[in-house]
Amino acid sequence: MSKKTRKKSSNTTGKRVATKVARAAGASTGKSATKTRTTVAKKAAAKTAKTKSAAGVPSKASHKAASKPLKPKAAATVTKSSAVTLTEGAAAPGFDLPRDGGGSVSLRDFAGKKLVLFFYPRADTPGCTREAIDFTRLKDEFAASGAEVVGISADTVKAQESFRIKHQLSVPLVSDPAHQMLEAYGAWGEKSMYGRTFMGIIRTTVLVDSGGKVARIWRHVKVDGHAEAVLEAARSL
């Protein structure tokens, strides 16, 4: 082979090698570029997701903050629904509660008898004292009409007993601090005084007939002359 031929062959081989190297470099560069683009895209997607997640947090917190003022409304709704509006002609709700001096009083104790239940706000306060004294004074006349009388408030048994002893009361005084009977008879509800609204005992009297049905209901009772009016109603049954 001549020198000229060997030189041409060498040049051709060199060109082929160079071409292969260039192609390999190009492929490598393409892969690198593709990999770089993929990495950038992933980072951008992660950043976007993180941003969306971060953006969702205030929204969730904002929702919670907005729902907090709704709690009192929900409580108020429950209170209103628990304050039963007892109607005349309905069966008298059963009860079994402690009384002054020990023991308990239940609706079953008065089966076959007429029963007067007077609910008062607080023991040994002026209006409640006058009312309890009036019912005590007329106790024998109620008994003659076939009716028994029981007083109910949220006071403790000890407070009821002190109230009875202090004013020489002769009617049983029931203690209902959990408001179970008060709510069942509709004597627990919203009240207002001096521009302030609150939940408390509404002065109420319920007359139950001998068959266990509610015969009469007096709500927002005015003490003067009330016991006499209830006695007349009991006599008429």
Side-chain angles (χ1 to χ4, degrees), residues 182-206:
L182 291 165
E183 290 185 14
Y185 280 83
W188 178 264
E190 192 175 271
K191 302 174 70 175
S192 60
M193 183 180 291
Y194 305 121
R196 184 172 65 90
T197 301
F198 58 95
M199 299 301 293
I201 298 175
I202 299 169
R203 195 183 301 277
T204 304
T205 298
V206 177

Side-chain angles (χ1 to χ4, degrees), residues 87-172:
T87 58
E88 295 179 358
F95 60 88
D96 190 347
L97 294 168
R99 59 159 294 179
D100 61 294
S104 62
V105 175
S106 72
L107 184 63
R108 297 186 300 273
D109 298 336
F110 306 99
K113 297 181 180 180
K114 291 177 276 189
L115 176 63
V116 174
L117 301 168
F118 69 98
F119 299 87
Y120 55 95
R122 189 174 179 182
D124 206 21
T125 53
C128 298
T129 298
R130 294 205 323 273
E131 185 178 22
I133 288 174
D134 285 347
F135 276 113
T136 291
R137 175 171 52 81
L138 298 173
K139 181 183 177 182
D140 291 341
E141 294 184 56
F142 274 107
S145 72
E148 298 288 341
V149 180
V150 176
I152 307 98
S153 74
D155 295 292
T156 63
V157 170
K158 184 177 181 180
Q160 299 286 43
E161 187 168 359
S162 298
F163 184 35
R164 175 180 59 81
I165 293 172
K166 181 177 179 179
H167 299 285
Q168 299 180 347
L169 306 174
S170 60
V171 296

Side-chain angles (χ1 to χ4, degrees), residues 3-235:
K3 293 182 179 180
K4 185 176 182 180
T5 302
R6 286 198 300 270
K7 184 177 182 181
K8 184 177 181 180
S9 176
S10 176
N11 290 340
T12 302
T13 303
K15 286 180 180 180
R16 287 176 182 174
V17 172
T19 300
K20 288 182 180 181
V21 171
R23 286 177 181 175
S28 176
T29 303
K31 289 181 181 180
S32 177
T34 301
K35 186 175 181 181
T36 301
R37 286 196 297 272
T38 302
T39 303
V40 170
K42 286 183 179 180
K43 288 183 178 180
K47 186 175 182 181
T48 301
K50 187 176 181 181
T51 303
K52 287 182 178 179
S53 177
V57 172
S59 174
K60 189 175 181 181
S62 175
H63 177 70
K64 287 186 177 180
S67 66
K68 287 184 179 178
L70 297 178
K71 289 184 179 179
K73 290 184 180 180
T77 302
V78 171
T79 300
K80 289 179 181 178
S81 65
S82 66
V84 178
T85 302
L86 192 66
T87 58
E88 295 179 358
F95 60 88
D96 190 347
L97 294 168
R99 59 159 294 179
D100 61 294
S104 62
V105 175
S106 72
L107 184 63
R108 297 186 300 273
D109 298 336
F110 306 99
K113 297 181 180 180
K114 291 177 276 189
L115 176 63
V116 174
L117 301 168
F118 69 98
F119 299 87
Y120 55 95
R122 189 174 179 182
D124 206 21
T125 53
C128 298
T129 298
R130 294 205 323 273
E131 185 178 22
I133 288 174
D134 285 347
F135 276 113
T136 291
R137 175 171 52 81
L138 298 173
K139 181 183 177 182
D140 291 341
E141 294 184 56
F142 274 107
S145 72
E148 298 288 341
V149 180
V150 176
I152 307 98
S153 74
D155 295 292
T156 63
V157 170
K158 184 177 181 180
Q160 299 286 43
E161 187 168 359
S162 298
F163 184 35
R164 175 180 59 81
I165 293 172
K166 181 177 179 179
H167 299 285
Q168 299 180 347
L169 306 174
S170 60
V171 296
L173 302 177
V174 170
S175 174
D176 183 22
H179 312 150
Q180 295 176 353
M181 185 180 180
L182 291 165
E183 290 185 14
Y185 280 83
W188 178 264
E190 192 175 271
K191 302 174 70 175
S192 60
M193 183 180 291
Y194 305 121
R196 184 172 65 90
T197 301
F198 58 95
M199 299 301 293
I201 298 175
I202 299 169
R203 195 183 301 277
T204 304
T205 298
V206 177
L207 173 60
V208 180
D209 64 23
S210 57
K213 300 287 186 179
V214 175
R216 288 284 304 276
I217 302 175
W218 293 263
R219 299 195 188 283
H220 303 284
V221 168
K222 302 298 181 184
V223 173
D224 293 339
H226 176 62
E228 287 79 3
V230 176
L231 177 59
E232 290 302 314
R235 285 171 174 169

